[in-house]
Amino acid sequence: MIFYFRNLIRCLSVVCLILLLPALSRAQLKADFTSDKTGGCAPLVVAFTNTSTGLSASASFEWQFGNNNKAAIANPSSVFTDTGAYTVTLTVRDGGQTSSITKKINVYKPPVVDFELSATKGCFPLEVEFTAKTLA
């Protein structure tokens, strides 16, 4: 009886190992991405590249750009038309694993250039002085 019980335990251990091995060998999912710009003047077009690790070909992607736009592809782009700081979140799902990462995109107000001219009409050669009126 003891011999039978020990063999049963060994058999169950092998079965458990065979069932758990695929789960144990799966890499840890880690969401990550890069962007071609992290800031700039509006309107700002940004291309995002998925650099996540530990995912299979069946992984799904959910991007939220913080500008009411979303995407479900690996490498999307988005346009940011208003000034401000945007929170971009990538969520990757693969099998039973989920991983997310958040990064910021800053969109600045375009500069306004203003200057005065000392003369706008005259004969050649006309000397003109430019005076900046732009505020930083």
Side-chain angles (χ1 to χ4, degrees):
M1 183 69 141
I2 293 174
F3 177 74
Y4 174 76
F5 185 70
R6 285 185 184 160
N7 283 340
L8 180 62
I9 295 294
R10 283 187 194 128
C11 182
L12 289 175
S13 298
V14 170
V15 169
C16 287
L17 184 61
I18 290 171
L19 292 176
L20 292 176
L21 192 57
L24 294 173
S25 65
R26 186 181 309 148
Q28 180 67 32
L29 180 63
K30 184 175 185 325
D32 202 3
F33 66 90
T34 60
S35 59
D36 66 339
K37 299 175 196 87
T38 57
C41 293
L44 181 66
V45 178
V46 181
F48 297 93
T49 302
N50 170 48
T51 59
S52 301
T53 57
L55 63 158
S56 70
S58 62
S60 64
F61 306 94
E62 180 185 325
W63 294 85
Q64 301 214 2
F65 300 110
N67 59 359
N68 295 322
N69 290 327
K70 297 178 182 182
I73 59 175
N75 301 306
S77 293
S78 189
V79 178
F80 300 89
T81 56
D82 297 322
T83 60
Y86 292 87
T87 301
V88 178
T89 302
L90 168 62
T91 301
V92 182
R93 290 181 180 81
D94 193 9
Q97 298 184 76
T98 300
S99 180
S100 296
I101 188 165
T102 298
K103 296 184 182 182
K104 295 280 186 190
I105 298 291
N106 294 300
V107 180
Y108 310 107
K109 181 178 166 184
V112 177
V113 178
D114 192 14
F115 54 89
E116 289 181 344
L117 305 170
S118 63
T120 57
K121 296 180 186 176
C123 296
F124 180 79
L126 178 65
E127 285 190 33
V128 179
E129 288 184 29
F130 293 86
T131 305
K133 293 177 57 178
T134 303
L135 300 176

